[in-house]
Amino acid sequence: MTDTYRAQLVSNQPDNPGWRLFVMVPGRVADWPEAAWSTGNPPTIQQRGVALEDMGFQYATGAPEWDWCETQPWEDDPHAVVKLCSVAHVRPLED
C-alpha cells in the first residue's frame, strides 16, 4: 500500500502576497517539497495538480479534492486579514 500525505495550500501574510503549496512528508520541514505563486488569487486546481506532479505526487483519490478553511490570526481584531488554507491528500507518483 502506498503512503498518503497531506498537501497544504496556504495564503501568505499580507506583507508578502501569494500562495505556497507544500507536501508534509516525514523528516525536516525544510525538506518538504514546495511550490509558490506570487498572485493574489489562489492557483487553479490545474496549476496545483501540475505543481504536485512536478514535486512527484498525485491525488490519492485520483481526483482533485481540496478542503478549504479560513483562519483569522488575531481573533480579537475583527478587521484582521483572514488567512486561507486548503488541504488535499496525495501520494507519490507511481513508477
Side-chain angles (χ1 to χ4, degrees):
M1 183 171 151
T2 303
D3 291 332
T4 60
Y5 304 99
R6 282 178 43 146
Q8 190 162 333
L9 178 70
V10 295
S11 61
N12 290 333
Q13 297 298 324
D15 58 341
N16 183 19
W19 295 84
R20 290 184 326 124
L21 171 64
F22 51 89
V23 178
M24 294 180 258
V25 296
R28 297 176 334 130
V29 172
D31 296 332
W32 288 355
E34 183 177 322
W37 293 267
S38 60
T39 177
N41 293 325
T44 65
I45 290 175
Q46 181 181 11
Q47 290 171 314
R48 287 177 253 158
V50 168
L52 285 168
E53 189 173 311
D54 288 347
M55 291 187 278
F57 293 89
Q58 63 188 353
Y59 294 106
T61 61
E65 295 182 19
W66 291 89
D67 293 322
W68 284 91
C69 65
E70 62 182 52
T71 61
Q72 187 173 350
W74 303 279
E75 292 182 17
D76 58 337
D77 180 0
H79 303 291
V81 175
V82 171
K83 187 171 186 176
L84 294 174
C85 172
S86 187
V87 175
H89 295 280
V90 298
R91 60 187 168 97
L93 288 171
E94 298 176 349
D95 295 325

